[in-house]
Amino acid sequence: MTSLAEQLSQIASRSTNSLNLKAQKAAHSQSLIFEPRVAASQDFDTIYAICLEGFQELCQLDPRFVRFGKSIFSQQSRNEERTQMTSGENEELDVVLEDFLGLVGARLLLKPGLKAVEWLVRRFRVHEYNTTFVIMTFLPYHSAPIFATLLAILPAITSPTLKFLFPYKKALSSPPRHAIVYAVTNNASLCAEFNSFVIKVSRLYYHYHTLISFWAGLMTEAIAGIIDLSLSGRKDVQRRNEEDVLLRILPVLNEGLSLRKVPQLRIGCYMLSTVLASKTNLDDKVLTGIMKAVTVGLTKETRDSGLLCLAILAQEREAIKLPGPLTREVMKIDGLAAELSSLSQRCRVDKLTLGLVFGVLDRINKTGLQGLLFVEHILENRVLLDTQAIDVVKSILFAAQGADLSDGEICSQLAALINRLAISEPVKEIAAKAIGDSSIDIDTLEMKLQTIVRQPEARLQVGEDIEIHDSFPRSTDLDDKLIEDAIAAIPVRTVDDLSFLAHSVSPIYPSLSQAFLLAVASATNLDNLASLSVFMNLAPQEAFALSFFIRIWCGPYPTLARTAALQSVQKRVISPESVSIDFQAVIPYAIIALTDSAEKVRSAASELTAAIHEVYKRANKEGRKNNPIRQWGLDDVYGSGDATKGVKWLAIDEARRLVKDILVPNLEECILDCNHISRAIEHAIGGSASGQQPSKFEAATLKSSMKLSVFSFLVGHVVNSPLYVVKLKLLAILNRVEKVGGMPRTKLLLPLLKSWISLSEGVIDQRCKSEHIELNELDDQMVAIIASGDKGEGLQTLQSIVSSASSSMRPTLIRAALDRIRYLWPLLKADFKVSIAQFLLDFALNTHIASSCSQSFQDDAMDILRTATLSSDVLSAFVDQLPITTNMPDKSPAAKRRRTSHNEMVALHTQDSKGLAASIRKVTFVLELIDSSKLEKNAHLLRGLFQVLSEVQHYKAEVGSELAYLQGLVLGCLLAAVNCFKVLLFEAEDQPDSKIDRSAVRADLLIDCVRSTASPQVQNAALLLVASLAAISPELVLHSVMPIFTFMSTSLLRQDDDYSAHVIDQTVHQVIPPLVNALRKQKGHPILGAAELLLSFVAAYEHVPVHRRLSLFTSLVETLGPDDFLFALLAMLAEKYPLDASILPFTAELSSHFSAEIRLSTAVKYLDLIFDTLNPTHTLSEQLLGLNDTEGKRGRDVVERLLSLLPKLLASRRLISRIGKLLQQGDIYSTRLRNVFGNLLEKTLGLADDIKGDSRLHGMCGTLLESVLGLLSTAEFVKSVEGLLDRPNDEVGRAIDPDNFSPVLTQPQLRRKILRSLEVRIRKDNQSDQTSRKAILGFVPHLTTVISESPNVLLKHTAITCIDVIAEKYGKRDPEVIALAADVISGDQGLSNSDDRLRLISLLCLASITEVLETRTLPILPRALPVALAHLETSLGDHVSNERIHNAAFSFLGVLLVYLPWMITGAHLDNILRLSHKSAVSSLSEEALESRVRALSLVAKQVDPRECLAAVERNWADSIESGPLATREHLGVLDTCIEKHTKSVIVKHSQVLTSFFLKAFDLRRTWIPKSKYTNDIDAVEGALISVTIKTIFKLNDATFRPMFAKLLGWASDSLPKKDKTGRKLRLISFFNFLDSFLELLKSIVTSYYSYVIDNVVEVLNTPSAEDPTSKLLWSTVLRTLQKSFLSDQDEFWQSPDHFNKIVAPLLGQLSNAQSLPIEKEVIPVIVELAVTAESSDHHKELNAMLLRHMRSDDSKVRLAAVKCEQELVTRLGEEWLALLPEILPLVSELQEDDDEDVERETHRLIVKIEGVLGEPLDSMLQ
């Protein structure tokens, strides 16, 4: 572009059309409320007055508008012109205009608002200068009509921001919401612009609900879409996209959330924040920032939405804990806890709540009571999940643990909160679990807070001798009155109150313990309690005081109380009064305290133990003479009864050594580990259990005598202490010691166990509950008294416990006894194992135990036996004591007796059903135990298991059931035992244990199991067992194996499971080889011996699952030997299943598993079997195929079946490929293969000679020979065929040279089969194989020789077929050879032969050759084409038709038309068309129809149009004489020709076409008078009209008009006038053509009606209802007339000349209402004429004629006229009712017409007139 052009372009872009008046007028006409025409006529004064009115109304609605009255709505504004302003002035004006638009946006749908905006549009042209802001203002109202009006006045949209409006501006329609959402999502500038607009309006506080709600919804969807779009691509790309989204959205959110006085905008920002957080992976910092922005400025209006937003944002944060400033801001919200509780019902708020709670607890010193109340409210209302609530409680505990003691108020508040949570119904379970799971030392915490954290329910349940208050103190300020009352409630001590450890109930203990618990938190109170009178004036050795504290620390009391009790005893021990006291009775209880779970308690117990040690030390130093030692509790520790006396006390030295050497050295470790003291005592008394050297703190050991004394001392306390917790904890220590000083612990503790057994369940349960211990733990320790080294008494005690299951024995004790037996089992000696196992077996199967609980114990006993490792002795004992009904003899019966052994079984005596069921159950269980045990060393069970199998057969007879499971068990056990022998036999054949006891094996039982059961599992197991026995000792099962295979064929082979397949495989591999070896020895020929076996498998073939057949039979053949048995199996299958389609693929696949040599040798043996079958005397065939001498016909059928399979097997491609590769090697193996092949070929030819008298078998033999020859390569095969064809006829049966694979066959049938085989090979041959191609093309002269010389027609036919295939595949490679062959085929021996078969194949072959050679076939065409046409005519004979020759001839003609169309002359075309007509008349198939139509189509497309059209015209008469089908096909040729050629060609031959159409349209006159094809005439004429119109489309007007005129003249005047029918028939055809012509071209050809109007008038004036032809012509004319009216767009019928000609004849038809269908045919035409001729004069004329008919004397005529008036009123409406004054008088008369139909239709006419007028006619009709 030049510089001048650029300058002009810039000037044009800046131009405001100041000189373009038209453009200025168009701009002035742009208005929001006025039409452009009105707006263009208005001046600014008028506009200002209208808009000012609206502005003033706005000022009344909102005073904020008033200030604009001084600027843009002032009087001066009328004269403002933006084009005259400077850029600065325009910018100032823009600010004011946008300010006003932002304010007026809320009222745009009000008239005042629109009027005000109108002024901005008309005067200041804001739609041009402030386009974007205007659109943003109107965008919330996008669905209102005003938005489409706005789009109409906008200038051309060029801004990328607003490009989404372009299609809607063009269509002047409002954009839908989804389009706006899409635009905002994908257009970043639009999104930013709209956000900026909303923020700007909101910042000015011009916001309104419509704008904010629209923005919030739109941006919510848009942000979701933007985020979705950003998620595509790689991760780094996604990250960048996400950052871009944040950079776009976060500033908007920041600005929006900063506007605190715009709550709706803030709520919208909340929505956007939630979408942003939920759809992106925001960092916690970003989320925290958003949450801070949301929190700041929350008001009552935004509180609910803000909290919801915070909850969602908090859920997206990874960290739970909230920052301190954020927590402070959120906690400022009034009623926050209640709001969160309410909100939790709608959504998840747990993360937000949890973060707030943690924040409060972190700042507990600042939040104080308010924060704790918030936490309590949250927990009480279950806002959090249980796991979260537990974490909160733990945090409270940690806060309490870390609280500053100096801040007493905080500690007090925390203590009160913890106590309230612990007793609150919704929270107490959570609090208890949190306290239990917490790692905090609760005892320390309780002491720090001076309260009890754990509630009494968690520590102490009220027993019969304990009473406590309902509540515990909750703060450090104890109620002195409560303690005083408790002390006052303590009863006075009586004489019988010697010890609180006595077995009797103490009346003092409940009150005293209550007072102790109340005083435990204060040392002062404890001292006061210790100074009570009840504890005063006591001798140091008395048990009363210390026993109270012992019971406290052994009881279920708080750690604080237990610790205080130990400390109280320690004080008394170290007091001066106790210097000569022996406190050995306290030692067991100190040991119990050292096992306490609380470290504080263990620490106090350690101090007490050290104090006792100090007492012993002082006593030892001071000497016993000066201060004799007194033993504490010697007479009354357990009361004054036998319990105290039963304790075996230690000597003072022994007690001192116990404390000094055992307890004191381990005190430090005991404090750290509660289990350490148990290990220390175990090592001291019993030695290291693990056998390792004890550690340094366990090094001290005791003498045997002292060990026994210490053990007895502790046992005494276990036995005599009334506290079960003492028994439990001391037994847990003592049971770790197996024996002491050679004495087992069982002997010392067994009396305790026996006394424990005697206690009632109620007493024990009550005591266990009161002491808070588990009864099952105590029972476990009691039965653990029985050690593994027990001599029998202890085990008997366990047995007595278990055997008491049916009595009142405690279930927990029985369960513990069974568990103890389970534990002791691996440690017991062999003899004890047998007795214990026998006891468990008897107990488990005891039928006299009926209770469900006892049955559960029986199940446990069974489980012990199942899981225990049972020795051979145990299993043998089980088998030996099984119930036996008959005794098995030592030696097995003779072989003959074995086969009938089931007959010698003595029937069981009749037993009761329960006893029989119990016996079966016992046998089943024992067998299950044997089955689950490892039988490597249990092979000696073989005899016993066979005996059990025998018994099972008796049980079957008794119960009348299969007992399949039981049989399967015993068979499985037997199989495992036999497999043991197999392993032993493999490992050490010379060892005596490795040989099986043959007398123990009962093969007859196994066969009986196989044959007598219906269970597949039992059968499989028995067969596997037989297979295993056969592998070890074949002679054991040889005599019984054949029935097995007979059984397998009917049952097992039909199964489809993996186990059955395994059984079959094992049977085949292990049973068959020894069987075959035995048969070889007995019968010599293995086939004869194994015939029965093969028959079994063949009989089962169809029942074997398809997917298992191949593997099964392959395994069978491989096991038997493929050289000897494969042919037999194939032959038996072919004979057994001749009609089974699966046999062929199966046998082919089976054969493919073996080498080529084996397959060929198998084929040779297969032929030998066929020879044997054909012989009068049979050998193999009689055994294998079931033949005998009396079934000669049967033998022939068998041969036919055998011959049907072998050729197909030899035709395998894989076999051919293998042979080809092997023959190319040239080694010894290939030589051997050639010999086998020669033998096969020799036998095949010999078989062909033997069965030549049987044509069917001979043909099958030819197929076999074809397959045999197919084993060679193509080149070799061609050579072989040459040799066969060259051999003379007298050489059949001569010897064959095995080195020359070219056998000679002279029989024509076999030769034909060879040639067919060659044809197949050629079709399949690879064209790229040059060797094969050269051989095949070289073979063509031999084929032509066969065609020329052979007298056999079929052989010639096959040879021509071969040439056909060769020509198609290789013709272009050597056209000379194929051309010579074509010459022979087209001669007398081929195409001209009298045999139809040769004619057919010759036609097809010549078609193929012509397609390949094209012009090279010219020499034969002059001879071949007439012959082909002659054959075609012959095939369409009058009586007999040869459809195949018909189709072949048309195929040959089609090829000629494609490749050599110029060879087809006019005479040939006439002949082809004539024969096609004749073919159409014949009743031929669809295939023949297709071949004929295809050829005719090629005639139309390929032949010169001059010749083609002339031939069509010449042969038209013959086509119509041949009938409708031939006529339509003839027209089809013309149709195709018209379509194929161009307009110029068609115009060039228009004369021929005109001549043809004149003949063709005379079709009706030709057919109808002769009453021929009357039903088809319309269809044929329709096809003719279609072709005619296609022709017209390719003609110009100058060419067609003469043709049209000629056609009309031909139809109306060319026939004599006396031939009226002929004229009418021609006119019918013409008007039918005209009807279609008008239908297609409509108004374009309406003027052509001027040619026919006279003929139409003539037809209308001379209707005849009696003449069908006249009536049809009348209807056809009316139809064309109506279409002419419909398509008149050029006022053709408006012309008076045309109208006047037609109106009278047309309305005159109403007078024929009596005889013609006027209502259907005439009235619609009249109405269309009235519509078309729309002038008033024409309507008057029409109406006048119509009124005359309404006055007719004929009622039918009046009725037709009235109906016509109805249709005219309906169609023309008010336009027709202009004639109402003329119509009404006559209508009034017809209201009272004599004819009811006329009167009824007249009333309908009145109703229609009234409907059009909208008022009644009553006044007009009066």
Side-chain angles (χ1 to χ4, degrees), residues 1417-1428:
T1417 57
L1418 286 177
I1420 67 168
L1421 288 183
R1423 178 177 55 181
L1425 183 56
V1427 176

PDB file of all heavy atoms in Angstrom, residues 1417-1428:
ATOM      1  N   THR A1417      -7.835 -60.261 -27.832  1.00  0.00           N
ATOM      2  CA  THR A1417      -8.881 -61.258 -28.131  1.00  0.00           C
ATOM      3  C   THR A1417      -9.663 -60.900 -29.390  1.00  0.00           C
ATOM      4  O   THR A1417     -10.628 -61.578 -29.723  1.00  0.00           O
ATOM      5  CB  THR A1417      -9.862 -61.360 -26.945  1.00  0.00           C
ATOM      6  OG1 THR A1417     -10.423 -60.064 -26.685  1.00  0.00           O
ATOM      7  CG2 THR A1417      -9.154 -61.848 -25.705  1.00  0.00           C
ATOM      8  N   LEU A1418      -9.270 -59.825 -30.093  1.00  0.00           N
ATOM      9  CA  LEU A1418     -10.015 -59.427 -31.302  1.00  0.00           C
ATOM     10  C   LEU A1418     -10.117 -60.545 -32.343  1.00  0.00           C
ATOM     11  O   LEU A1418     -11.171 -60.707 -32.976  1.00  0.00           O
ATOM     12  CB  LEU A1418      -9.356 -58.190 -31.924  1.00  0.00           C
ATOM     13  CG  LEU A1418      -9.581 -56.856 -31.176  1.00  0.00           C
ATOM     14  CD1 LEU A1418      -8.810 -55.743 -31.866  1.00  0.00           C
ATOM     15  CD2 LEU A1418     -11.068 -56.536 -31.155  1.00  0.00           C
ATOM     16  N   PRO A1419      -9.098 -61.332 -32.517  1.00  0.00           N
ATOM     17  CA  PRO A1419      -9.222 -62.376 -33.561  1.00  0.00           C
ATOM     18  C   PRO A1419     -10.348 -63.383 -33.292  1.00  0.00           C
ATOM     19  O   PRO A1419     -10.888 -63.962 -34.240  1.00  0.00           O
ATOM     20  CB  PRO A1419      -7.848 -63.065 -33.532  1.00  0.00           C
ATOM     21  CG  PRO A1419      -6.921 -62.003 -33.008  1.00  0.00           C
ATOM     22  CD  PRO A1419      -7.718 -61.235 -32.011  1.00  0.00           C
ATOM     23  N   ILE A1420     -10.691 -63.610 -32.066  1.00  0.00           N
ATOM     24  CA  ILE A1420     -11.701 -64.641 -31.791  1.00  0.00           C
ATOM     25  C   ILE A1420     -13.090 -64.054 -31.675  1.00  0.00           C
ATOM     26  O   ILE A1420     -14.076 -64.802 -31.684  1.00  0.00           O
ATOM     27  CB  ILE A1420     -11.359 -65.402 -30.492  1.00  0.00           C
ATOM     28  CG1 ILE A1420     -11.481 -64.465 -29.275  1.00  0.00           C
ATOM     29  CG2 ILE A1420      -9.972 -66.005 -30.567  1.00  0.00           C
ATOM     30  CD1 ILE A1420     -11.442 -65.195 -27.944  1.00  0.00           C
ATOM     31  N   LEU A1421     -13.246 -62.713 -31.559  1.00  0.00           N
ATOM     32  CA  LEU A1421     -14.562 -62.135 -31.316  1.00  0.00           C
ATOM     33  C   LEU A1421     -15.529 -62.318 -32.482  1.00  0.00           C
ATOM     34  O   LEU A1421     -16.716 -62.593 -32.259  1.00  0.00           O
ATOM     35  CB  LEU A1421     -14.426 -60.653 -30.961  1.00  0.00           C
ATOM     36  CG  LEU A1421     -13.846 -60.354 -29.565  1.00  0.00           C
ATOM     37  CD1 LEU A1421     -13.833 -58.854 -29.311  1.00  0.00           C
ATOM     38  CD2 LEU A1421     -14.659 -61.073 -28.495  1.00  0.00           C
ATOM     39  N   PRO A1422     -15.102 -62.125 -33.726  1.00  0.00           N
ATOM     40  CA  PRO A1422     -16.077 -62.346 -34.819  1.00  0.00           C
ATOM     41  C   PRO A1422     -16.699 -63.736 -34.784  1.00  0.00           C
ATOM     42  O   PRO A1422     -17.835 -63.927 -35.228  1.00  0.00           O
ATOM     43  CB  PRO A1422     -15.227 -62.134 -36.083  1.00  0.00           C
ATOM     44  CG  PRO A1422     -14.124 -61.221 -35.638  1.00  0.00           C
ATOM     45  CD  PRO A1422     -13.803 -61.636 -34.247  1.00  0.00           C
ATOM     46  N   ARG A1423     -15.969 -64.682 -34.251  1.00  0.00           N
ATOM     47  CA  ARG A1423     -16.510 -66.032 -34.162  1.00  0.00           C
ATOM     48  C   ARG A1423     -17.242 -66.243 -32.828  1.00  0.00           C
ATOM     49  O   ARG A1423     -18.274 -66.932 -32.795  1.00  0.00           O
ATOM     50  CB  ARG A1423     -15.363 -67.031 -34.290  1.00  0.00           C
ATOM     51  CG  ARG A1423     -15.791 -68.482 -34.172  1.00  0.00           C
ATOM     52  CD  ARG A1423     -14.633 -69.418 -34.385  1.00  0.00           C
ATOM     53  NE  ARG A1423     -13.525 -69.127 -33.486  1.00  0.00           N
ATOM     54  CZ  ARG A1423     -12.372 -69.789 -33.488  1.00  0.00           C
ATOM     55  NH1 ARG A1423     -12.157 -70.735 -34.377  1.00  0.00           N
ATOM     56  NH2 ARG A1423     -11.421 -69.463 -32.634  1.00  0.00           N
ATOM     57  N   ALA A1424     -16.740 -65.646 -31.784  1.00  0.00           N
ATOM     58  CA  ALA A1424     -17.283 -65.940 -30.458  1.00  0.00           C
ATOM     59  C   ALA A1424     -18.554 -65.159 -30.158  1.00  0.00           C
ATOM     60  O   ALA A1424     -19.480 -65.690 -29.522  1.00  0.00           O
ATOM     61  CB  ALA A1424     -16.233 -65.638 -29.386  1.00  0.00           C
ATOM     62  N   LEU A1425     -18.652 -63.886 -30.633  1.00  0.00           N
ATOM     63  CA  LEU A1425     -19.791 -63.063 -30.254  1.00  0.00           C
ATOM     64  C   LEU A1425     -21.103 -63.596 -30.813  1.00  0.00           C
ATOM     65  O   LEU A1425     -22.080 -63.719 -30.071  1.00  0.00           O
ATOM     66  CB  LEU A1425     -19.539 -61.615 -30.705  1.00  0.00           C
ATOM     67  CG  LEU A1425     -20.628 -60.603 -30.325  1.00  0.00           C
ATOM     68  CD1 LEU A1425     -20.866 -60.605 -28.824  1.00  0.00           C
ATOM     69  CD2 LEU A1425     -20.231 -59.197 -30.784  1.00  0.00           C
ATOM     70  N   PRO A1426     -21.191 -63.941 -32.107  1.00  0.00           N
ATOM     71  CA  PRO A1426     -22.458 -64.506 -32.593  1.00  0.00           C
ATOM     72  C   PRO A1426     -22.820 -65.811 -31.890  1.00  0.00           C
ATOM     73  O   PRO A1426     -24.002 -66.059 -31.605  1.00  0.00           O
ATOM     74  CB  PRO A1426     -22.190 -64.725 -34.091  1.00  0.00           C
ATOM     75  CG  PRO A1426     -21.067 -63.800 -34.417  1.00  0.00           C
ATOM     76  CD  PRO A1426     -20.221 -63.754 -33.214  1.00  0.00           C
ATOM     77  N   VAL A1427     -21.814 -66.614 -31.600  1.00  0.00           N
ATOM     78  CA  VAL A1427     -22.102 -67.871 -30.908  1.00  0.00           C
ATOM     79  C   VAL A1427     -22.640 -67.589 -29.505  1.00  0.00           C
ATOM     80  O   VAL A1427     -23.572 -68.242 -29.025  1.00  0.00           O
ATOM     81  CB  VAL A1427     -20.841 -68.749 -30.850  1.00  0.00           C
ATOM     82  CG1 VAL A1427     -21.094 -70.011 -30.042  1.00  0.00           C
ATOM     83  CG2 VAL A1427     -20.381 -69.112 -32.259  1.00  0.00           C
ATOM     84  N   ALA A1428     -22.052 -66.603 -28.838  1.00  0.00           N
ATOM     85  CA  ALA A1428     -22.527 -66.266 -27.502  1.00  0.00           C
ATOM     86  C   ALA A1428     -23.964 -65.787 -27.526  1.00  0.00           C
ATOM     87  O   ALA A1428     -24.788 -66.173 -26.676  1.00  0.00           O
ATOM     88  CB  ALA A1428     -21.621 -65.196 -26.888  1.00  0.00           C
TER      89      ALA A1428
END
